[in-house]
């Protein structure tokens, strides 16, 4: 049942100027996380802004413009992208990311035909929880390595983010990454750690540094299993935003459409060299806080992201952020991702007195964090992908069913 308050708020944005202002505000909620991913995998942040903006518009077209979400860079793929780039190069990795988008489409068709039960059987909490933990923990050393370039700056950024997450209220609580990076960046400028020469030389208008993908079967097979966690993340997100808007988006336009929209947006990003997209919990939180459930506002945020991506000086400015600033936020971020994996197991009331559950979680964590790899010729499967597949197989063949997952989200 729709709330009167939501109806009133949607009608109040018939004024295009107010709607535009709120749309820009929503972009800033997602801005920090969206540009952090490309900075961590060493690509042009303008590409991520462009593909996030266009990807969001694609999602809205496929879902008939009914769901108030914004798609930004997915943190779930950072570790696999870093590892795959070392093995196959970034263009080859992009081919794998495009294949992930196709997997989303296949799962979308399965949900359309057979419903959610088949997904819950294959990807229960006992598998998804530890996989999410691996996503965060596998990059812990990277965060420490970046932070140690200047521990005082890194710890200042970390402390700022913690204070915001724990003690702040309202809209400020939704943008801890943005504010913490801004604080660290300003301090870095004051003490002379930032060189603005590249910003001065950059053009005001510049196309993002797009990369053409290459298709390599080994890279594709390496990347496809990583789709497990983001798919479950997406399902949880749709229930979450549906609860905020008091609408059943899993029925109208349908979970098959929302997942397809996410997949097409991810494949589109791969064709241009951008990171995979995902629905952002920060933006969902902002929607819940402001009670603004008008999807047009999120489309304005998407257009604003595209405009920002074409301003060369913005891209150059983002590249001047010191590694210690990024490392400081990573110390919290990747730990938070791992804790969400733990929360997934707790929420599902996973019974660890059962040996089979201990076995599944232990093996997934050991394979994923330990960097186990299976190779045959030019084919290799390792890390999160290998751990995910092993977890799915163990859950299906070991006796005694585990509790199906009811939806979770990886923070972007």
């Amino acid at each position: 049942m729709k709330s009167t308050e939501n109806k009133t708020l949607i009608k109040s944005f018939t004024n295009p100027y107010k709607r535009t202002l709120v749309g820009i505000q929503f972009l800033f909620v997602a801005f920090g996380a969206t540009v952090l991913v490309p900075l961590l995998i060493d690509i042009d942040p303008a590409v991520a802004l462009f593909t996030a903006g266009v990807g969001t518009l694609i999602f809205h077209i496929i879902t008939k413009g009914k769901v108030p979400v914004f798609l930004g860079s997915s943190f779930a793929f950072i570790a696999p992208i870093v590892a795959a780039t070392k093995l196959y190069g970034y263009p080859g990795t992009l081919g794998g990311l495009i294949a992930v988008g196709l997997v989303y489409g296949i799962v979308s068709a399965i949900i359309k035909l057979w419903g959610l039960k088949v997904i819950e059987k294959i990807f229960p909490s006992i598998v998804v929880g530890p996989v999410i933990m691996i996503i965060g923990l596998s990059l812990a050393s990277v965060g420490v390595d970046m932070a140690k370039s200047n521990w005082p700056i890194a710890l200042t950024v970390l402390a700022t983010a913690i204070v915001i997450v724990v003690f702040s209220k309202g809209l400020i609580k939704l943008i801890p990454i943005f504010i913490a990076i801004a604080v660290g960046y300003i301090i870095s400028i004051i003490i002379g750690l930032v060189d603005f020469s590249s910003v001065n030389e950059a053009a005001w208008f510049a196309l993002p540094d797009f990369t053409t993908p290459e298709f390599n079967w080994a890279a594709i097979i390496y990347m496809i299993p990583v789709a497990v966690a983001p798919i479950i993340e997406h399902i949880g997100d749709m229930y979450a935003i549906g609860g905020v808007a008091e609408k059943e988006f899993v029925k109208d336009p349908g979970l098959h459409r929302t997942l397809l929209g996410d997949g097409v947006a991810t494949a589109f990003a791969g064709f241009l060299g951008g990171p995979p997209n995902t629905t952002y919990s920060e933006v969902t939180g902002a929607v819940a806080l402001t009670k603004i459930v008008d999807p047009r506002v999120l489309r304005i945020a998407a257009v604003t992201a595209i405009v920002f991506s074409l301003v060369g000086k913005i891209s150059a400015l983002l590249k001047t952020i010191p590694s210690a600033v990024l490392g400081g936020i990573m110390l919290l971020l990747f730990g938070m991702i791992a804790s969400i994996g733990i929360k997934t197991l707790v929420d599902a009331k996973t019974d660890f007195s059962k040996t089979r559950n201990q076995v599944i979680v232990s093996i997934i964590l050991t394979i994923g964090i330990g960097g186990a790899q299976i190779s045959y010729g030019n084919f290799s499967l390792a890390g999160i992908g290998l751990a995910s597949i092993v977890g799915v197989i163990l859950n299906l063949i070991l006796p005694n069913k585990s509790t199906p997952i009811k939806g979770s989200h990886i923070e972007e």
Side-chain angles (χ1 to χ4, degrees):
M1 183 174 154
K2 300 176 184 177
S3 69
T4 304
E5 183 181 17
N6 283 351
K7 289 180 179 179
T8 302
L9 283 167
I10 291 175
K11 290 179 180 178
S12 69
F13 284 101
T14 54
N15 185 317
Y17 299 106
K18 290 182 180 179
R19 193 162 58 235
T20 300
L21 183 62
V22 174
I24 294 173
Q25 171 186 272
F26 274 124
L27 173 63
F28 277 100
V29 170
F31 188 86
T34 299
V35 301
L36 180 57
V37 173
L39 290 172
L40 296 180
I41 62 176
D42 197 25
I43 66 171
D44 184 0
V47 176
L49 281 173
F50 184 86
T51 54
V54 176
T56 298
L57 297 178
I58 290 172
F59 177 91
H60 280 253
I61 291 171
I62 292 176
T63 58
K64 304 178 182 180
K66 293 182 177 182
V67 188
V69 300
F70 180 90
L71 272 62
S73 307
S74 173
F75 280 95
F77 287 90
I78 295 176
I81 289 174
V82 171
T85 300
K86 291 179 182 178
L87 293 170
Y88 313 108
Y90 190 60
T93 300
L94 292 174
L97 296 176
I98 292 169
V100 167
L102 296 178
V103 171
Y104 280 48
I106 293 171
V107 176
S108 167
I110 291 173
I111 292 174
K112 173 69 174 177
L113 292 174
W114 291 298
L116 276 176
K117 289 185 178 180
V118 65
I119 302 299
E120 292 177 342
K121 181 178 180 180
I122 298 174
F123 305 131
S125 58
I126 195 65
V127 173
V128 176
V131 167
I132 295 174
M133 291 168 66
I134 294 170
I135 290 171
L137 296 175
S138 60
L139 279 175
S141 61
V142 176
V144 172
D145 287 342
M146 294 180 72
K148 70 183 182 183
S149 63
N150 191 315
W151 275 113
I153 292 291
L155 293 177
T156 300
V157 172
L158 175 62
T160 302
I162 291 173
V163 168
I164 293 170
V165 169
V166 176
F167 298 106
S168 67
K169 297 181 180 180
L171 189 61
I172 297 297
K173 190 178 181 70
L174 301 173
I175 50 175
I177 294 174
F178 183 80
I179 295 177
I181 289 177
V183 169
Y185 189 57
I186 291 170
I187 294 174
S188 299
I189 293 172
I190 293 173
I191 64 177
L193 295 180
V194 180
D195 179 8
F196 287 107
S197 58
S198 60
V199 180
N200 294 330
E201 295 169 2
W204 278 103
F205 174 81
L207 288 174
D209 187 15
F210 297 124
T211 301
T212 302
E214 296 176 359
F215 294 95
N216 178 321
W217 275 111
I220 289 172
I221 295 172
Y222 180 95
M223 194 62 67
I224 280 178
V226 184
V228 172
I231 286 173
I232 299 300
E233 162 194 343
H234 176 94
I235 294 171
D237 257 352
M238 288 305 102
Y239 280 108
I241 191 63
V244 170
E246 298 183 3
K247 294 183 179 180
E248 292 186 309
F249 293 125
V250 294
K251 294 182 179 179
D252 182 21
L255 190 59
H256 63 289
R257 279 186 174 272
T258 64
L259 190 58
L260 179 62
D262 203 338
V264 174
T266 291
F268 171 81
F271 275 111
L272 294 185
N277 288 313
T278 187
T279 49
Y280 261 15
S281 61
E282 295 98 325
V283 177
T284 298
V287 170
L289 178 68
T290 61
K291 300 295 188 289
I292 298 169
V293 296
D294 187 347
R296 293 176 297 177
V297 170
L298 282 305
R299 292 195 282 273
I300 290 171
V303 172
T304 306
I306 295 170
V307 172
F308 278 15
S309 74
L310 301 176
V311 180
K313 289 191 180 297
I314 290 180
S315 178
L317 186 68
L318 293 171
K319 292 177 183 177
T320 65
I321 300 175
S323 61
V325 174
L326 301 177
I329 199 66
M330 287 168 67
L331 293 176
L332 174 64
L333 185 65
F334 294 136
M336 290 287 284
I337 293 173
S339 70
I340 290 170
I342 297 173
K343 184 176 182 295
T344 298
L345 294 172
V346 172
D347 289 347
K349 298 180 180 178
T350 305
D351 186 358
F352 278 99
S353 66
K354 295 180 179 179
T355 304
R356 58 99 60 189
N357 289 344
Q358 295 178 24
V359 168
I360 293 171
V361 173
S362 299
I363 293 179
I364 290 175
L365 291 176
T366 303
I367 290 175
I369 298 174
Q373 180 173 322
I374 295 176
S375 299
Y376 182 77
N378 293 326
F379 163 76
S380 65
L381 186 62
I384 299 171
L386 178 59
S388 300
I389 290 177
V390 170
V392 168
I393 293 173
L394 287 174
N395 180 69
L396 292 176
I397 64 175
L398 294 180
N400 191 6
K401 296 180 181 179
S402 57
T403 306
I405 189 167
K406 297 302 181 184
S408 62
H409 189 86
I410 303 170
E411 297 291 336
E412 295 67 21

